Amino acid sequence: MTNKKEKIVHTATELFANEGYNATSTNKIAKNAGVSEGLIFRHFRNKKGLLDHISKELDEKLTKKLMLILRIQDPKLVIRKTIELPFLVDHNEYNYWKLQYKLKWEKEYLYPIKIQPLIDKLEWAFLQLNYQDPKNEAILLRQLLDTVFLEILQNHIKSTDLFKQFLLTKYKV
């Protein structure tokens, strides 16, 4: 990707994540990226094309993180790595993940389908560890981690190490 195209993607991600897709014009993206608005259209056809490009990058980031967990065969390690996941996200990627949370409400981007393999793996792990209700335990942990990650992204959880340790202790992993 060219430097200008990267700048457009980075700027659009930041604006979409913090101001919302509908509230962000291509003109504003161009100004903040220091490029012409025409360059956005040349690379992405329109604002929706730009969002689709960013969404594809988000999918790749999510898939890469999930694949690390999905390959694990030790059930306790699956739970541990899943718990650690939101705490390990690089601060420089927060805007990508904020945007992911905004997009998860859009049917077109099908967030539940993207995260289903992780839920299935967690269910397997809880089943291996003889939890009473592995399916609901997996869903509960995913929902809990979703909330925790959202709090981290909004900078509401300052002492993340303490909270991560709480979860690791709670699940005995």
Side-chain angles (χ1 to χ4, degrees):
M1 194 166 14
T2 66
N3 194 26
K4 287 185 178 184
K5 189 174 179 181
E6 284 180 28
K7 185 72 173 159
I8 292 167
V9 169
H10 176 76
T11 301
T13 301
E14 182 178 344
L15 290 170
F16 292 162
N18 294 300
E19 297 181 15
Y21 172 77
N22 291 326
T24 303
S25 68
T26 53
N27 187 337
K28 185 169 188 173
I29 295 166
K31 272 186 188 172
N32 287 18
V35 300
S36 71
E37 193 173 12
L39 190 59
I40 294 172
F41 297 125
R42 187 169 345 130
H43 283 299
F44 304 102
R45 292 194 58 180
N46 54 35
K47 186 168 84 166
K48 175 77 168 68
L50 176 55
L51 179 62
D52 289 344
H53 176 86
I54 293 167
S55 178
K56 184 178 176 193
E57 284 188 357
L58 286 167
D59 288 349
E60 290 169 5
K61 287 176 186 290
L62 181 61
T63 299
K64 186 187 273 188
K65 291 189 180 302
L66 292 183
M67 287 310 294
L68 295 173
I69 295 170
L70 297 178
R71 291 186 177 125
I72 298 171
Q73 293 305 310
D74 176 347
K76 284 188 173 191
L77 193 55
V78 167
I79 296 167
R80 180 183 219 12
K81 292 296 182 184
T82 301
I83 289 170
E84 291 173 344
L85 195 61
F87 299 97
L88 297 175
V89 171
D90 186 327
H91 186 74
N92 293 327
E93 292 187 340
Y94 276 18
N95 284 325
Y96 275 101
W97 296 107
K98 281 182 186 179
L99 182 56
Q100 177 73 48
Y101 271 87
K102 287 186 180 211
L103 291 177
K104 79 184 249 179
W105 297 104
E106 303 296 326
K107 288 182 182 178
E108 182 176 346
Y109 295 98
L110 300 172
Y111 179 80
I113 290 172
K114 293 176 190 178
I115 203 74
Q116 189 60 48
L118 178 62
I119 295 169
D120 293 343
K121 187 68 174 196
L122 283 170
E123 182 179 350
W124 169 85
F126 287 123
L127 180 65
Q128 298 301 305
L129 297 171
N130 297 315
Y131 274 70
Q132 185 175 352
D133 189 350
K135 182 176 184 162
N136 283 321
E137 197 70 51
I139 292 168
L140 175 65
L141 181 57
R142 196 266 313 156
Q143 289 174 341
L144 179 62
L145 291 173
D146 246 8
T147 302
V148 168
F149 194 32
L150 191 55
E151 291 288 316
I152 290 170
L153 291 174
Q154 294 174 335
N155 293 316
H156 293 146
I157 295 180
K158 301 294 184 198
S159 56
T160 57
D161 289 336
L162 292 173
F163 197 73
K164 177 175 71 173
Q165 193 55 52
F166 168 78
L167 289 173
L168 293 172
T169 302
K170 175 182 175 22
Y171 283 98
K172 299 178 179 126
V173 294

